[in-house]
Amino acid sequence: MAAGGTGSADTASRILDAAERLVQVRGFNGFSYADVASELTITKAALHYHFASKADLGAALITRYAERFSQALAEVDAATDAAGTVPAAPAKLAAYARLYVEVLRSSRMCLCGMLAAEYPTLPEPMQVAVLGFFDDNEKWLQGVLEQGRTDGSLRFAGSSLDTARVIISSLEGAMLVARPYADVSRLQAAADRMLAGLISTSNTV
Amino acid sequence: MAAGGTGSADTASRILDAAERLVQVRGFNGFSYADVASELTITKAALHYHFASKADLGAALITRYAERFSQALAEVDAATDAAGTVPAAPAKLAAYARLYVEVLRSSRMCLCGMLAAEYPTLPEPMQVAVLGFFDDNEKWLQGVLEQGRTDGSLRFAGSSLDTARVIISSLEGAMLVARPYADVSRLQAAADRMLAGLISTSNTV
DNA sequence: GTCTATAGGCAGATAGAC
DNA sequence: GTCTATCTGCCTATAGAC
């Protein structure tokens, strides 16, 4: 658990990296400890030393993913504000959509989008963590939407909560369907339309 | 394979019913022959008589689902036209969205939405069939969109193809995210917004 | 921390009786 | 068509040596 300092990433992190990729590509029910072990050229027993059960590994996966996503959103806030981008809200939404596009570019599904599909089969701690991820996204988007509505850069009907949910689900859905076609442009097109529908200047067709 | 005529649905159909539900709830990698067998109180061996391999069962599942969906769309066309609904296109889109809502009401994911998540792990014949399902939906929606654009009842930017894809992916995504929350209204809200954004009268915010 | 070895169970699938 | 019995292989997980 402690930082090794030997130069190479510690084993726990490398396990999480490999498992994360496997879950995003094949799903939680579509990979095994043996898959991770063979990828890292260690044994299954070593894996169990770091993560006693698959449920533990899965929960750790979501925790790390959610933390990183949260950091990415904080960086979007910081970068947009530092650049003095005016208006800020549309730029933030565009950056948000870019996060999804980047994930799909590596032929992966969003980790929590994948786990949402498998939700009824997941151990309860994982279920809780998945909902937490979506709740965090929703909250951040709500803030951006309120900001944009206030400064007039965004225009949308209904509540910022409902709008935030539509943004999340339309991006998750576009990833879900685009991936089998190995066609990132399908997601890109959906993201562009979503943004166009929210930005004030292009709101009137 | 032939119709029994004994009064009860034939075994193959009952197997497909149970397996379909299991895939929609738990995913193709989240259920086993044993699950289906115990649900129908028959043995795994009997299952293998009707569907030699799990891949065969999976392919049959998609074929039947796609056929039924296709029939449902034909019925939407027929019912809307028979009712003399004017304009027809918005009514057809609303009926299309209703199909998704009804699936989620039974706590299920769209069969092909679920399989899209598991896509890389599926046997190739199943992969082909999943894409076929989405292609069919796309084609039908494109027709409705063209109809609506022609008679002025629908208004949308860009191609009917891109718009059809956005409709599919936003509904699939809304299902995906709404199900873990056990909240059909999340899908309903997404569907309502999607429709509102396409219908001419409400297009100007 | 990583290994070998193994437990105990369930997966998909087959053989052959009825 | 459905059964019992069984095969083979993989799964998650643990015990104990190094």
Side-chain angles (χ1 to χ4, degrees):
Chain A
M1 287 290 187
T6 57
S8 67
D10 58 63
T11 306
S13 295
R14 292 174 56 232
I15 293 169
L16 288 170
D17 290 343
E20 184 180 80
R21 207 201 96 258
L22 284 163
V23 174
Q24 289 186 262
V25 172
R26 305 177 49 90
F28 190 71
N29 295 326
F31 89 103
S32 70
Y33 266 39
D35 295 327
V36 179
S38 81
E39 201 162 307
L40 303 185
T41 4
I42 57 173
T43 61
K44 290 184 287 173
L47 274 185
H48 279 284
Y49 170 80
H50 294 281
F51 301 95
S53 73
K54 200 183 176 189
D56 290 338
L57 173 57
L61 237 30
I62 307 172
T63 301
R64 194 184 68 160
Y65 191 82
E67 274 168 10
R68 285 184 175 173
F69 213 91
S70 207
Q71 282 167 21
L73 297 184
E75 280 163 28
V76 166
D77 285 333
T80 307
D81 296 342
T85 313
V86 178
K92 288 182 182 179
L93 290 184
Y96 182 79
R98 231 174 286 132
L99 294 176
Y100 284 75
V101 172
E102 278 158 25
V103 170
L104 185 62
R105 242 184 250 291
S106 52
S107 302
R108 304 189 195 192
M109 181 62 192
C110 165
L111 180 77
C112 289
M114 178 64 83
L115 296 177
E118 300 179 291
Y119 192 82
T121 72
L122 301 179
E124 200 250 344
M126 288 184 67
Q127 294 184 328
V128 172
V130 167
L131 296 191
F133 173 82
F134 288 124
D135 291 344
D136 289 349
N137 274 258
E138 196 173 283
K139 199 176 161 189
W140 184 85
L141 282 169
Q142 247 194 299
V144 173
L145 289 168
E146 295 288 357
Q147 179 186 20
R149 181 181 250 173
T150 300
D151 68 20
S153 62
L154 299 181
R155 198 171 298 181
F156 52 91
S159 69
S160 60
L161 175 62
D162 281 354
T163 307
R165 288 177 177 172
V166 167
I167 292 172
I168 294 171
S169 65
S170 67
L171 290 173
E172 291 287 352
M175 284 187 95
L176 182 73
V177 179
R179 197 172 65 119
Y181 287 94
D183 183 1
V184 181
S185 77
R186 288 188 181 229
L187 170 58
Q188 190 65 62
D192 290 346
R193 291 212 163 206
M194 185 266 291
L195 289 171
L198 292 169
I199 293 174
S200 293
T201 52
S202 58
N203 216 12
T204 308
V205 181
Chain B
M1 285 292 187
T6 58
S8 66
D10 58 64
T11 307
S13 295
R14 292 174 57 232
I15 292 169
L16 288 171
D17 290 342
E20 183 180 79
R21 207 200 97 257
L22 283 163
V23 174
Q24 289 185 262
V25 172
R26 305 178 49 92
F28 190 71
N29 295 326
F31 89 102
S32 70
Y33 266 39
D35 294 328
V36 180
S38 81
E39 201 162 307
L40 303 184
T41 2
I42 57 173
T43 61
K44 289 187 290 173
L47 275 184
H48 279 284
Y49 169 80
H50 293 280
F51 301 96
S53 72
K54 200 184 176 187
D56 291 337
L57 173 56
L61 237 30
I62 307 173
T63 301
R64 194 184 68 158
Y65 192 82
E67 274 167 11
R68 286 183 174 176
F69 213 92
S70 207
Q71 282 167 20
L73 297 184
E75 280 164 27
V76 166
D77 284 334
T80 307
D81 296 342
T85 312
V86 178
K92 288 183 182 178
L93 291 185
Y96 182 79
R98 231 173 286 131
L99 293 176
Y100 284 76
V101 172
E102 278 158 24
V103 171
L104 185 62
R105 243 184 248 291
S106 52
S107 301
R108 304 190 195 192
M109 181 63 191
C110 164
L111 181 78
C112 289
M114 178 65 81
L115 296 176
E118 300 178 291
Y119 192 83
T121 72
L122 300 179
E124 201 250 344
M126 287 183 68
Q127 294 185 329
V128 173
V130 168
L131 296 191
F133 173 82
F134 288 125
D135 291 344
D136 288 348
N137 274 257
E138 196 172 282
K139 199 176 162 189
W140 184 84
L141 282 169
Q142 247 193 300
V144 174
L145 289 168
E146 295 288 357
Q147 179 186 20
R149 181 180 250 175
T150 299
D151 68 20
S153 61
L154 298 181
R155 199 172 298 180
F156 51 91
S159 69
S160 60
L161 176 61
D162 281 355
T163 307
R165 288 177 178 174
V166 166
I167 293 172
I168 293 170
S169 64
S170 66
L171 290 173
E172 290 286 353
M175 283 188 95
L176 182 73
V177 179
R179 197 172 64 118
Y181 287 94
D183 183 2
V184 181
S185 77
R186 287 188 180 228
L187 170 58
Q188 189 65 63
D192 290 346
R193 291 211 162 206
M194 185 267 289
L195 289 172
L198 291 170
I199 293 173
S200 293
T201 52
S202 58
N203 216 11
T204 308
V205 180

